[in-house]
Amino acid sequence: MAPMKGIIVAAGYGTRFLPVTKTVPKELLPIGVTPSIAYIAQEFVNSGITDIIIISSRRKKTLEDYFDREIELEELFSREGRKDRLEKIEPVRARVSFVRQSEMKGTGHALLQVKHLLGGEPSVVAYPDDIVFGPKPLARQLIDVYERTGKCVLATIFEPGDVSRYGVVDPEPDGVGVRGFVEKPAKGAEPSHEVSIGRYLYTPEFFSWLEEGWKKHGSGEYYHTYALDKMIAASHVAFARVEGLRLDTGDPAGYFEAQLWNALEDPSLKPVLARFIAAHPDLRA
Ligand code: G1P
């Protein structure tokens, strides 16, 4: 059995972060000093995944450089004996490959660009906006459910409020299976408040349905929903409620919250945040 691969879908324009995304890929925007995509790559490695495929585009060449070695700095820091700095520039311990999506035709189309590289094995797909820090790395949480059920696995969170911007799961009473899925339901039409976040474990059958759906697809972006519906109809989808803290860096507000979270965790930044709040009484409820 070929080892399971991790896929990071990183081809999008990042329009919510313009103007910086005119030149900097959204996935390289840092939380603290670490690019958000590095957290996902590390999650994969911590989950036992050592083959990572990044779906990129021609506007995002610096993503490839980020995952390469930085020879010049390595030599400098070695000469200086700066182990701490060497650690900071060490590439993630995985085999990282890049595939470009040449036209922005949606995430379903993006995934089809890597189907031939998966060796007929299941894979974990990440939309890099969602970063989770948990007792167990998120991809591993999904792999564990796959190993128990043999099904595709959706990572979910319970969102008590408005769920109209999510894909929403209709759970089986057993708390594991998925019997329906509604992408971005109108308010009041949601089947539950169990919402899908950007981490998926897909079996090879899912990719076959994805290809099938693409043949029939008309114009506009192509998403994962057609294939997912087919898998659900065959009772081949489960969900796993995420254990841990989820950060949604998909828009500037969520990204800002991730920075605040990072400041709280970082002993050199926490006092700065505390001083700032103390100096601005209007920030206290
Ligand atoms: C995508 C998925 C949606 C999911 C969401 C999680 O939507 O299509 O099912 O709930 O990510 O962030 P997007 O946010 O790309 O519109």
Side-chain angles (χ1 to χ4, degrees):
M1 191 171 113
M4 200 180 285
K5 296 187 173 63
I7 302 167
I8 305 179
V9 182
Y13 290 130
T15 46
R16 278 176 282 196
F17 286 87
L18 284 169
V20 67
T21 44
K22 279 170 77 181
T23 52
V24 180
K26 183 178 72 173
E27 296 77 12
L28 288 184
L29 296 180
I31 298 171
V33 291
T34 304
S36 53
I37 196 170
Y39 289 98
I40 313 281
Q42 196 57 47
E43 172 199 313
F44 280 166
V45 170
N46 294 345
S47 301
I49 293 173
T50 50
D51 269 299
I52 299 176
I53 305 172
I54 299 179
I55 307 174
S56 165
S57 74
R58 69 185 159 275
R59 300 181 67 254
K60 298 187 137 178
K61 299 182 177 71
T62 49
L63 272 179
E64 297 188 27
D65 293 341
Y66 179 78
F67 284 94
D68 202 349
R69 284 175 63 189
E70 198 16 293
I71 303 283
E72 200 178 318
L73 289 181
E74 275 178 22
E75 279 172 10
L76 177 67
F77 297 153
S78 299
R79 271 204 308 278
E80 294 176 344
R82 292 294 302 260
K83 264 193 162 164
D84 56 333
R85 291 189 170 164
L86 278 170
E87 269 169 27
K88 283 197 173 154
I89 59 168
E90 195 188 323
V92 67
R93 293 177 180 222
R95 205 153 48 165
V96 181
S97 329
F98 283 83
V99 170
R100 282 192 188 174
Q101 185 187 19
S102 52
E103 296 167 282
M104 297 301 105
K105 290 187 172 171
T107 42
H109 174 263
L111 290 174
L112 281 178
Q113 313 310 302
V114 301
K115 178 177 180 283
H116 65 292
L117 300 173
L118 304 178
E121 296 293 336
S123 51
V124 178
V125 170
Y127 296 178
D129 289 347
D130 281 306
I131 300 175
V132 169
F133 297 96
K136 201 195 275 180
L138 180 52
R140 173 46 60 183
Q141 295 179 33
L142 302 191
I143 294 168
D144 285 352
V145 174
Y146 168 74
E147 285 173 351
R148 280 205 309 274
T149 63
K151 298 182 179 187
C152 289
V153 188
L154 305 177
T156 63
I157 57 169
F158 183 76
E159 169 52 66
D162 176 25
V163 296
S164 61
R165 71 183 184 89
Y166 290 103
V168 184
V169 163
D170 184 4
E172 293 276 11
D174 66 0
V176 182
V178 172
R179 62 183 175 195
F181 183 86
V182 187
E183 182 68 26
K184 302 192 174 52
K187 263 187 200 167
E190 63 273 8
S192 78
H193 282 257
E194 200 70 39
V195 306
S196 159
I197 65 160
R199 212 67 94 253
Y200 311 83
L201 189 146
Y202 289 142
T203 59
E205 294 75 33
F206 170 90
F207 281 89
S208 302
W209 282 119
L210 202 60
E211 201 157 45
E212 198 60 35
W214 175 247
K215 286 182 199 150
K216 298 182 211 153
H217 180 68
S219 55
E221 297 203 353
Y222 179 58
Y223 297 109
H224 61 316
T225 37
Y226 173 86
L228 197 56
D229 284 346
K230 292 289 185 191
M231 294 302 288
I232 289 170
S235 296
H236 283 170
V237 182
F239 71 100
R241 190 182 285 180
V242 166
E243 289 174 50
L245 168 79
R246 177 228 180 196
L247 301 172
D248 176 6
T249 65
D251 62 25
Y255 178 68
F256 178 62
E257 218 174 305
Q259 301 291 4
L260 290 174
W261 167 84
N262 178 65
L264 274 181
E265 294 289 309
D266 183 333
S268 71
L269 296 178
K270 194 173 175 181
V272 181
L273 181 59
R275 271 202 309 278
F276 188 87
I277 292 170
H280 295 83
D282 53 317
L283 284 178
R284 271 169 275 142

